[in-house]
Amino acid sequence: MYFSLVFSSIYFFYVGFVICTNATKKIKNLFCLAPLFFISAFRYQVGIDFNSYVNYYFDVISGSDTYMGASFSWIAKFGHFLGFNQQLLFIIYSFLFILFIYLSINEIFKKITYSNEMLYLIIILFYSFLFYMSLNQIRSSLSSSIILYAILSEKRIKSICFVLLAVFFHSGSIIALPFVLFYKKINQKLLIISFITVIFIAFSGLLSHLLISAIELFGGRFLVYVNSSYFSPKVGFEALYTTCVLCVLFLITTYFSFSIKDSRYNIFIKIIYFYLIIKAISIDVLIFGRLGDMLKPMVVFSIVVLFIAYIDLIKKINNIHQLILGFFILLLFSISILNTVLGSNIIANEAGNDFSYDYKFNFCIIGEVCPK
């Protein structure tokens, strides 16, 4: 735990120091993300799913069948063919994940005006909410970062190609294709009406009934999920909590959409609405919750962009923006430290009840591992 705690504390100041230098915005972005690649790529037995991926790796190279898909198998076999051990798997996934986050942040500043505050908040929000999640479910994390870049690219053919690349790593990435194809033609009011409609009928069971009927009609590989827990609804407090969170985020997004008139921010507003609709469907059909997570990086970055845009608006009214910005950074720091102390997404819950865990590294990528 102590390594993670010290790293998180130092990282907040490190990012601030890098951003305050006279380097170009791309160099700042690169140096801010580089330490995250290092502690992700060479981690050992860090992440709830770490040992599962190691087992899948050995299954692949032994010729056993896995459900991990062709991309995972190719990476595992490629590394083994070159003489590397299982650590290369995490190095490759970490490199690609950080690479697409880096490219996506650069794309953001092609659309809107760069500011040090914006870059700082994007990096810190990414670290606090998304980075440690990427230590688990490495396939979906990589796919979500590719989707982020695909959406921000905006050029339709390029975006479609990168969504298909994301699908190659995780089939659930297909959820982003409708947005990439049609978001320019979809009116924000239609998205607002769609969310309100879905949130009202989500408790009726109608959505799951229609979806199951469509799957049974067309068949395909998703038939295996129809009678599983993936198609069950959320119940009790979980359903109520999800509804409340979605409605609060919906109201905040709607407020931003009416306050920020600049058309450059439309894509950020629309993707949040689209995400909210997918998450609202998950109240009735659980699997849409995981599909919606594919859009989470884009939503997190969009919230930062809209937040800073709104701060810029109220600068013209009073000086309270400095207080709001400071409070927001302090809140992010507190959340990051709390996640670190609890071992959130770092270790299994049952192993972390005493709040003590090790963040190990392995730098031996050829032959036997030698964790430190």
Side-chain angles (χ1 to χ4, degrees), residues 13 21 37 54 87 95 118-119 130 137 153 163 165 183 192 199 207 267 269 282 289 301 356 363 367:
F13 292 100
T21 64
F37 162 72
V54 171
Q87 194 65 44
F95 173 77
M118 177 81 78
L119 179 58
L130 298 174
Q137 301 176 348
S153 296
V163 169
L165 176 62
Y183 86 89
I192 292 173
I199 206 74
L207 295 173
I267 186 174
I269 294 171
S282 75
F301 284 13
S356 61
F363 299 107

Side-chain angles (χ1 to χ4, degrees), residues 4 25 46 65 113 135 159 228 322 324 336:
S4 302
K25 57 188 177 185
V46 176
D65 292 331
T113 304
L135 303 184
S159 295
S228 70
Q322 295 176 341
I324 295 175
S336 178

Side-chain angles (χ1 to χ4, degrees), residues 50-244:
F50 183 92
N51 289 327
S52 296
Y53 285 114
V54 171
N55 292 334
Y56 289 133
Y57 168 86
F58 285 112
D59 286 343
V60 168
I61 64 176
S62 66
S64 302
D65 292 331
T66 69
Y67 74 96
M68 302 300 285
S71 60
F72 185 92
S73 297
W74 290 0
I75 292 173
K77 290 178 180 178
F78 173 74
H80 181 69
F81 174 77
L82 295 178
F84 294 97
N85 59 32
Q86 64 268 30
Q87 194 65 44
L88 185 67
L89 186 74
F90 299 97
I91 293 173
I92 291 175
Y93 273 96
S94 298
F95 173 77
L96 292 175
F97 175 69
I98 295 297
L99 172 64
F100 279 102
I101 294 296
Y102 169 79
L103 293 174
S104 299
I105 293 174
N106 290 342
E107 285 294 322
I108 288 176
F109 291 118
K110 290 180 182 179
K111 302 179 186 306
I112 59 176
T113 304
Y114 171 84
S115 69
N116 284 340
E117 293 89 350
M118 177 81 78
L119 179 58
Y120 183 82
L121 284 181
I122 287 176
I123 296 291
I124 292 304
L125 202 67
F126 163 71
Y127 176 72
S128 300
F129 288 95
L130 298 174
F131 173 70
Y132 282 112
M133 291 181 61
S134 74
L135 303 184
N136 302 296
Q137 301 176 348
I138 58 177
R139 295 185 307 133
S140 59
S141 294
L142 173 56
S143 293
S144 67
S145 68
I146 298 173
I147 288 173
L148 171 65
Y149 180 67
I151 293 174
L152 288 170
S153 296
E154 285 198 75
K155 295 178 181 178
R156 179 169 295 185
I157 300 300
K158 181 180 178 181
S159 295
I160 292 173
C161 289
F162 276 101
V163 169
L164 295 178
L165 176 62
V167 171
F168 176 66
F169 287 100
H170 196 290
S171 59
S173 303
I174 198 68
I175 194 70
L177 192 58
F179 183 83
V180 167
L181 290 173
F182 304 114
Y183 86 89
K184 288 184 178 179
K185 298 180 180 179
I186 298 176
N187 188 279
Q188 287 186 31
K189 292 181 180 178
L190 177 61
L191 292 171
I192 292 173
I193 294 172
S194 298
F195 172 77
I196 294 173
T197 303
V198 170
I199 206 74
F200 271 107
I201 67 174
F203 293 92
S204 67
L206 178 61
L207 295 173
S208 58
H209 178 74
L210 292 174
L211 186 60
I212 291 173
S213 298
I215 291 174
E216 290 176 341
L217 178 63
F218 294 103
R221 64 187 294 266
F222 291 103
L223 278 172
V224 299
Y225 295 113
V226 167
N227 296 318
S228 70
S229 60
Y230 288 110
F231 273 76
S232 61
K234 293 182 179 180
V235 295
F237 178 76
E238 183 183 14
L240 179 62
Y241 175 78
T242 301
T243 303
C244 291

Side-chain angles (χ1 to χ4, degrees), residues 325-340:
L325 198 59
F327 173 78
F328 193 61
I329 292 173
L330 182 61
L331 178 64
L332 290 179
F333 180 74
S334 301
I335 292 173
S336 178
I337 295 300
L338 179 62
N339 284 338
T340 300

